[in-house]
Amino acid sequence: MGRSPCCEKIGLKKGPWTPEEDQKLLAFIEEHGHGSWRALPAKAGLQRCGKSCRLRWTNYLRPDIKRGKFSLQEEQTIIQLHALLGNRWSAIATHLPNRTDNEIKNYWNTHLKKRLAKMGIDPVTHKSLSGTLTGTTNNKSAKAAASLSHMAQWESARLEAEARLARESKIRTATPTPTALHAQPTNVPASAASPCLDVLHGWQGAKIDLESPTSTLTFTGSNSGMLPTPRTNRLEVSESNSVMWHQRSDELEGEENDWQIFSKHQVLELDSKEREDDFIGCEEPWFSGMAGVGSGFTSMLFDVSNEHDASECWGESNNGHTEHSNQASDEEDKNYWNGVLDMVNSELTPQSPPLV
DNA sequence: AATCCGGTCAACCGCGCATTG
DNA sequence: TCAATGCGCGGTTGACCGGAT
């Protein structure tokens, strides 16, 4: 089936937007909302296709867009989330408030990717090209990697839930209900709010049965009906405000098949103050910038995967890649993430401005 | 001063998914 | 059930800019 063009291309303008066009688009959306993108250009008096209008709005004109240099914590978040999610820029963007997926993608391709490659880290796999950081011969590190893999699956499932909630919110927007208090209208970018918080609030009131092939989300609440039988891994949000990650024992060799129970506060990064305290004590400028680092899943990542204080790990001397690689292989409880961050840190000197 | 070259980023393109009729 | 439609995502392009030669 041939795909019909998104709009009649003949006579439509392409290329850079003029200030006049921007003004027209901005004025129209402010007054009417975007509604149907396809119909918008005609209504707004623009000789553009709807797709072009949508892109211009979401990537440039949207009032909540944060422009300018990426902060250190934003960079860290991008690196970590990219390692988990790959090139899922929109998913990554939900963890970086007011940044667009396009901006993040560009920044990754022009800055971070090259920087990681320069440091000897494969920007695709996020593993050291020499393999020393991955600790593949290190059982504990392998377990950490396995945990991360499962958490990535969880994140994928969560993103599916976000998408579903966003769709549901379209319906609920007309008749808001208490359980949809945090559902975002579709014309509000997901990045405009705290995504994890909103999503989990939404989850509390809605039974969501995700059909992820590897992970499922279930909700034990008054609204939950038939719960699916867990096939592999499972995340459960209970009425007692606990989030339980159920990991299959056969996928994590040697681990007990038990529930890892995180308080909802952990998951919702409401414990960020504690992390800030961890970093505030560090005098290294780079680390002080890490106060409050991470967002949403990234935050949980640190809480769960780090077996000791992250600042202790990151605050160690940085004398180059080799030493860090050796450290990573020598210390059993240093996981891959600390290794990556360590190496990033080693690229920085107190004299040089942090990154870029 | 002119040209070259690499970096940056806004914008486009094509595809996939969800929805609709 | 299936084709048509709309939207969003990720990859890519190309214009622009600043520094180097």
Side-chain angles (χ1 to χ4, degrees):
Chain A
M1 170 180 82
R3 186 174 173 77
S4 60
C6 68
C7 50
E8 186 54 59
K9 305 215 174 206
I10 298 170
L12 293 185
K13 191 164 177 273
K14 285 170 66 175
W17 281 65
T18 64
E20 290 75 23
E21 287 177 312
D22 282 345
Q23 189 52 46
K24 278 185 181 178
L25 181 58
L26 206 52
F28 182 86
I29 292 178
E30 279 176 355
E31 190 173 354
H32 304 99
H34 64 68
S36 166
W37 285 111
R38 178 177 280 241
L40 184 146
K43 292 178 184 171
L46 288 162
Q47 296 295 107
R48 295 272 182 174
C49 79
K51 198 171 183 175
S52 180
C53 293
R54 178 174 59 82
L55 235 46
R56 184 63 178 172
W57 170 256
T58 56
N59 288 335
Y60 196 83
L61 294 177
R62 230 174 56 195
D64 61 334
I65 288 179
K66 176 179 166 186
R67 313 204 75 85
K69 196 174 156 185
F70 278 72
S71 69
L72 198 55
Q73 51 263 52
E74 284 176 318
E75 291 186 347
Q76 291 303 315
T77 302
I78 293 170
I79 292 170
Q80 291 152 16
L81 289 173
H82 184 272
L84 283 170
L85 303 171
N87 293 354
R88 296 173 64 182
W89 305 116
S90 62
I92 294 171
T94 64
H95 294 268
L96 290 156
N98 307 346
R99 295 288 190 183
T100 69
D101 53 356
N102 203 38
E103 195 178 11
I104 294 168
K105 178 176 61 181
N106 283 331
Y107 193 71
W108 171 263
N109 286 327
T110 57
H111 292 93
L112 300 179
K113 195 165 140 184
K114 291 172 186 172
R115 193 180 303 154
L116 287 181
K118 192 178 169 185
M119 290 187 288
I121 298 170
D122 186 339
V124 177
T125 63
H126 288 254
K127 293 177 180 178
S128 167
L129 292 173
S130 64
T132 52
L133 270 177
T134 60
T136 49
T137 59
N138 180 315
N139 191 35
K140 206 161 185 178
S141 297
K143 286 179 189 174
S147 291
L148 287 171
S149 171
H150 286 101
M151 289 160 71
Q153 291 172 5
W154 176 85
E155 174 68 354
S156 290
R158 191 186 66 76
L159 288 163
E160 289 178 41
E162 281 188 47
R164 182 172 296 196
L165 280 169
R167 288 195 297 276
E168 288 174 353
S169 72
K170 285 183 182 176
I171 302 168
R172 291 180 191 153
T173 300
T175 53
T177 64
T179 58
L181 283 176
H182 296 266
Q184 298 172 21
T186 54
N187 62 344
V188 174
S191 59
S194 177
C196 294
L197 192 64
D198 288 352
V199 167
L200 283 175
H201 272 295
W203 282 354
Q204 282 187 285
K207 171 188 173 291
I208 300 177
D209 176 14
L210 291 176
E211 293 302 325
S212 164
T214 53
S215 299
T216 59
L217 282 172
T218 60
F219 299 86
T220 55
S222 55
N223 292 338
S224 62
M226 293 283 289
L227 295 176
T229 302
R231 285 168 293 183
T232 53
N233 305 321
R234 191 156 62 112
L235 181 86
E236 179 164 322
V237 180
S238 72
E239 285 187 309
S240 60
N241 283 347
S242 291
V243 178
M244 289 174 281
W245 172 250
H246 193 178
Q247 196 161 41
R248 243 176 62 174
S249 61
D250 59 349
E251 292 189 7
L252 197 59
E253 190 181 339
E255 290 285 328
E256 290 295 322
N257 183 16
D258 57 5
W259 290 83
Q260 294 183 34
I261 302 177
F262 311 114
S263 74
K264 187 173 288 184
H265 283 221
Q266 274 182 291
V267 177
L268 302 182
E269 66 174 346
L270 297 179
D271 61 339
S272 58
K273 179 63 173 61
E274 288 178 18
R275 175 157 301 104
E276 286 180 16
D277 292 340
D278 285 342
F279 290 112
I280 286 168
C282 180
E283 294 182 2
E284 190 73 30
W286 193 79
F287 293 120
S288 62
M290 293 298 288
V293 69
S295 172
F297 182 65
T298 307
S299 177
M300 191 178 82
L301 174 69
F302 278 104
D303 286 337
V304 177
S305 64
N306 282 4
E307 296 185 11
H308 63 270
D309 185 3
S311 62
E312 173 194 336
C313 195
W314 296 343
E316 288 165 5
S317 64
N318 301 297
N319 297 324
H321 306 161
T322 307
E323 181 181 330
H324 283 287
S325 298
N326 290 337
Q327 283 178 348
S329 54
D330 291 339
E331 297 179 35
E332 279 198 336
D333 56 351
K334 234 176 211 175
N335 60 31
Y336 164 64
W337 293 104
N338 282 329
V340 170
L341 293 170
D342 229 348
M343 293 189 76
V344 172
N345 186 32
S346 72
E347 285 292 298
L348 303 168
T349 65
Q351 293 77 24
S352 63
L355 306 174
V356 182

